[in-house]
């Protein structure tokens, strides 16, 4: 991790208004580096998606700061996003609404390519056929495991997995330096989940981008992530390399999450469910020792 | 349109058994199409000059004068054909204009939110708070009786439903993930609206507009009936009914323009409801 971080999140706090205000994210800090896959896991409502929206600038944090390539990230306002900030891309959760139902798949991927072209034009560069990232929507479809002829199709004729593949292609066609997947696979069936997750990780890293993969499912995240951050009640309670978290969880909440993964041993044993009545400690587990 | 503001033809439509709604929709579409065609070619195919006062007065429906003649010896049938251009044509124009005005305000309010939304929607509420016909009458009377002012008055009262419906659709679309994706890709607000928002609100808005054509025709003829719209000798249907009221025993003078208004109102409304059912099968049984 010698390179400069792509994204630095510092003491991010997000409160949603109410009586009392709901603190969805409570002092989260982390760095994301180019070429790595980071898993952010936690149960629903722990603030993962809020964090994703803050990192993209879709949501302005109540306190704290996000830096992108060393510059403070301006949240998205009424106006359009500046070309130099289009290097932050996101794949959303719901395959039903991640694509515009009225536009052909090829056009939507073309949007991503245009975005990349615009940003490079700002740097005085141009897209080229020799780039590692394709500049043709059809090629992108092949790359995400679909048919080149699918460019003519409309989203409603695609399966959920295919739509998430298209959404991934569109996001990556913009040649981001960071791709955020906000539960991009949670609406897919089990066999498709692993395939799409693998694809996202492989393609993002091959472009030198960082992938922040957000999921509630440790078992899938484990397959692709280099390191994992565990989020609980708006805080990161444990972080470390995937293998270590998996084999030797320190925080009681991480242990509970791991215990909640069903074991296919044929015994039909129900997974241990993290008890909602139990309040786990909110301090981050010490993994130095 | 909001449930409480459902028009009479719409309520009739709900009472029709679902099985025969589709064929009825087709019949309505055909009649509506006939009126639209007449609106284009009507004045060219009249058997008599609609303005010429050269026929015997008060002639009952017969062979030469199919639907009789009026108090000035003008052919009622010819006047109805020519009047299609005035009534149906202006109704179409009015609906298109209300749709454009309402949609622009609705999209701006829904997309930009905050105080823009507040300002536009409070203004919309203000206009909607008045009874439609009365506000139109007051406006037309204040502007002076002419067809142009009648359309202007009708426009002033008929854009708010579009603004509200479009705004609510934009509000829900704005939080669709593909709109957020577009913003992250650097779409300008204009591109976001043009590419991601408008195409997805166009369908329901057009359906609403088609159901509104009949109501618009009724409003315009209503204003003309009250003397606030078309001036004599213009063959406007509402004005024809209005002058027929003074000659009640010569039933053909008022009944036929009235029937013309009725078919336009019913057919365009039924057409709109049929389209709504077609595009939203779930809503058909509501």
């Amino acid at each position: 991790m010698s390179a400069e971080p792509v994204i630095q999140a510092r003491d991010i706090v997000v409160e949603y208004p109410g009586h009392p205000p709901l603190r969805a994210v409570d002092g989260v800090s982390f760095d994301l580096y180019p070429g790595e896959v980071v898993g952010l896991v936690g149960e629903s409502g722990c603030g993962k998606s809020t964090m994703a929206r803050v990192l993209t600038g879709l949501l302005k944090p109540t306190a704290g700061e996000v830096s992108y390539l060393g510059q403070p990230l301006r949240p998205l306002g009424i106006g359009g996003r500046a070309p130099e900030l289009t290097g932050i891309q996101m794949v959303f959760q719901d395959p039903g609404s991640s694509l515009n139902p009225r536009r052909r798949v090829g056009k939507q991927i073309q949007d991503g390519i245009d975005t990349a072209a615009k940003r490079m034009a700002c740097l005085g560069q141009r897209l080229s056929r020799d780039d590692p990232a394709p500049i043709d929507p059809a090629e992108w479809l092949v790359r995400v495991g679909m048919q080149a002829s699918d460019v003519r199709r409309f989203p409603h004729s695609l399966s959920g997995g295919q739509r998430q593949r298209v959404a991934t292609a569109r996001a990556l066609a913009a040649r981001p330096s960071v791709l955020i997947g906000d539960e991009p696979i949670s609406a897919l069936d089990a066999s498709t989940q692993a395939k799409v997750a693998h694809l996202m990780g492989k393609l993002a890293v091959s472009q030198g981008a960082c992938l922040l993969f957000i999921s509630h499912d440790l078992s899938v995240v484990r397959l692709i992530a280099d390191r994992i951050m565990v989020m609980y009640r708006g805080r990161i309670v444990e972080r470390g390399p995937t293998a270590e978290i998996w084999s030797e969880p320190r925080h009681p909440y991480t242990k509970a999450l791991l215990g909640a993964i069903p074991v296919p041993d044929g015994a039909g044993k129900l997974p241990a469910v993290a008890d909602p009545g139990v309040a786990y400690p909110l301090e981050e587990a010490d993994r130095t020792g | 349109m909001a449930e409480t503001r459902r028009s009479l033809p719409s309520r009739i439509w709900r009472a029709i058994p679902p099985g025969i709604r589709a064929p009825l929709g087709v019949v309505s579409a055909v009649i509506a199409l006939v009126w639209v065609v007449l609106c284009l070619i009507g004045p060219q195919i009249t058997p008599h000059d609609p303005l010429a006062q050269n026929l015997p007065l008060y002639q009952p429906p017969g062979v030469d004068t199919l639907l009789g003649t009026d108090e000035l010896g003008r052919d009622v049938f010819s006047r109805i054909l020519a009047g299609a251009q005035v009534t149906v044509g202006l109704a179409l124009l009015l609906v298109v204009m209300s749709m454009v005005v309402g949609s622009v305000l609705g999209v701006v309010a829904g997309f930009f939110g905050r105080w823009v939304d507040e300002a536009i929607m409070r203004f919309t509420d203000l206009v909607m708070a008045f009874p439609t016909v009365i506000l139109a009458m007051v406006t037309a009377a204040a502007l002076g009786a002419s067809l142009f002012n009648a359309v202007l008055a009708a426009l002033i009262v008929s854009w708010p439903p579009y603004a509200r419906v479009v705004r609510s659709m934009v509000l829900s679309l704005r939080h669709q993930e593909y709109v957020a994706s577009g913003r992250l890709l650097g779409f300008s607000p204009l591109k976001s609206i043009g590419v991601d928002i408008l195409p997805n609100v166009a369908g329901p808005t057009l359906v609403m507009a088609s159901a509104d054509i009949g109501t618009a025709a009724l409003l315009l003829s209503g204003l003309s009936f009250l003397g606030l719209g078309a001036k004599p000798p213009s063959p406007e249907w509402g004005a024809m009914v209005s002058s027929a009221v003074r000659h009640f025993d010569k039933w053909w003078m008022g009944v036929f323009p009235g029937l013309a208004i009725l078919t336009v109102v019913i057919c365009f409304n039924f057409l709109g409801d049929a389209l709504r059912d077609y595009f939203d099968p779930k809503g058909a049984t509501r």
Side-chain angles (χ1 to χ4, degrees), chain A:
Chain A
M1 303 299 166
S2 52
E4 288 293 304
V6 193
I7 282 211
Q8 284 181 300
R10 285 290 167 270
D11 306 316
I12 301 294
V13 175
V14 178
E15 278 183 350
Y16 289 117
H19 301 284
L22 176 74
R23 192 164 266 226
V25 176
D26 187 9
V28 168
S29 302
F30 57 77
D31 294 348
L32 299 177
Y33 293 91
E36 67 169 349
V37 177
V38 180
L40 182 62
V41 295
E43 64 195 356
S44 9
C46 74
K48 310 182 299 277
S49 292
T50 303
M51 201 56 217
R53 295 176 66 79
V54 169
L55 291 179
T56 52
L58 287 171
L59 185 72
K60 189 180 183 302
T62 314
E65 194 179 64
V66 178
S67 308
Y68 170 66
L69 299 174
Q71 300 289 320
L73 178 70
R74 292 188 300 279
L76 247 172
I78 295 284
R81 170 146 274 191
E84 62 267 24
L85 293 180
T86 55
I88 307 172
Q89 289 301 323
M90 183 149 155
V91 175
F92 290 87
Q93 179 171 13
D94 179 11
S97 82
S98 57
L99 298 174
N100 184 340
R102 301 265 163 190
R103 300 182 75 212
R104 292 181 199 278
V105 161
K107 284 256 182 212
Q108 305 202 43
I109 296 176
Q110 186 63 45
D111 286 339
I113 299 168
D114 292 345
T115 299
K118 226 181 207 176
R119 185 170 64 246
M120 290 177 72
C122 286
L123 302 169
Q125 295 168 322
R126 295 179 60 188
L127 296 188
S128 141
R129 288 228 159 259
D130 308 323
D131 293 342
I135 56 170
D136 175 31
E139 272 179 65
W140 266 113
L141 283 175
V142 173
R143 190 166 282 207
V144 294
M146 292 173 62
Q147 306 283 325
S149 57
D150 289 338
V151 287
R152 305 274 313 148
R153 292 173 77 176
F154 282 102
H156 65 79
S157 69
L158 302 176
S159 70
Q162 287 174 319
R163 286 182 209 164
Q164 291 304 68
R165 284 169 195 265
V166 173
T168 305
R170 179 182 54 188
L172 285 173
R175 306 194 185 180
S177 36
V178 56
L179 178 65
I180 296 164
D182 180 16
E183 301 253 15
I185 55 167
S186 61
L188 310 179
D189 62 70
S191 62
T192 321
Q193 278 190 341
K195 279 185 212 151
V196 173
H198 264 300
L199 186 80
M200 286 182 73
K202 191 186 78 187
L203 289 179
V205 171
S206 75
Q207 283 181 230
C210 161
L211 173 65
L212 178 68
F213 194 89
I214 299 174
S215 176
H216 61 273
D217 190 351
L218 248 177
S219 55
V220 176
V221 171
R222 176 176 82 106
L223 298 174
I224 61 164
D226 302 316
R227 57 192 181 94
I228 287 179
M229 300 186 285
V230 180
M231 211 167 162
Y232 173 67
R233 295 209 179 165
R235 291 177 180 225
I236 290 180
V237 292
E238 184 160 15
R239 65 182 101 196
T242 305
E244 289 175 27
I245 298 272
W246 185 258
S247 59
E248 197 195 336
R250 298 251 172 109
H251 195 277
Y253 178 70
T254 315
K255 289 178 188 165
L257 266 187
L258 285 168
I261 296 170
V263 186
D265 56 0
K269 190 171 64 115
L270 283 172
V273 178
D275 187 347
V278 175
Y280 297 96
L282 291 170
E283 290 76 40
E284 186 169 346
D286 179 21
R287 294 196 66 91
T288 48

Side-chain angles (χ1 to χ4, degrees), chain B residues 2 12 18 22 25 28 32 39 59 76 86-87 89 98 141 150-151 177 186 188 197 199 206 231 253 271 276 281:
Chain B
I12 297 172
S28 302
C39 156
Q59 191 129 312
V76 173
V86 184
T87 308
S98 345
V151 173
E177 293 170 349
S188 66
I197 305 266
L206 285 173
K231 284 279 190 220
M253 284 173 57
L271 172 63
R276 196 189 313 259

Side-chain angles (χ1 to χ4, degrees), chain B residues 1-2 5 94-107 109 117 119-133 135-136 151-169 205 208 212 219:
Chain B
M1 213 178 288
R5 291 176 62 89
L94 170 62
V95 165
V96 169
M97 288 195 303
S98 345
M99 189 172 73
V100 169
V101 172
S103 302
V104 167
L105 289 172
V107 165
D117 184 27
I120 293 178
M121 291 330 287
R122 290 302 77 77
F123 181 60
T124 308
D125 290 343
L126 187 76
V127 177
M128 284 185 97
F130 292 98
T132 315
V133 179
L135 182 59
V151 173
L152 200 62
L155 173 63
I156 285 170
V157 298
S158 46
W159 64 265
Y162 291 96
R164 279 176 76 144
V165 170
V166 168
R167 170 186 173 266
S168 69
M169 282 192 289
T205 312
M208 190 178 154
D212 220 23
L219 184 59

Side-chain angles (χ1 to χ4, degrees), chain B residues 43-95:
Chain B
Q44 276 79 52
I45 58 164
T46 53
H48 298 279
D49 181 347
L51 301 181
Q53 306 174 7
N54 53 3
L55 295 168
L57 311 186
Y58 305 122
Q59 191 129 312
V63 181
D64 181 40
T65 54
L66 209 54
L67 304 178
T69 61
D70 64 8
E71 78 276 22
L72 296 172
R74 296 173 298 193
D75 180 28
V76 173
F77 181 59
S78 301
R79 285 176 68 74
I80 287 176
L81 286 186
Q85 194 160 58
V86 184
T87 308
V88 181
L90 286 182
L92 288 171
L93 181 73
L94 170 62
V95 165

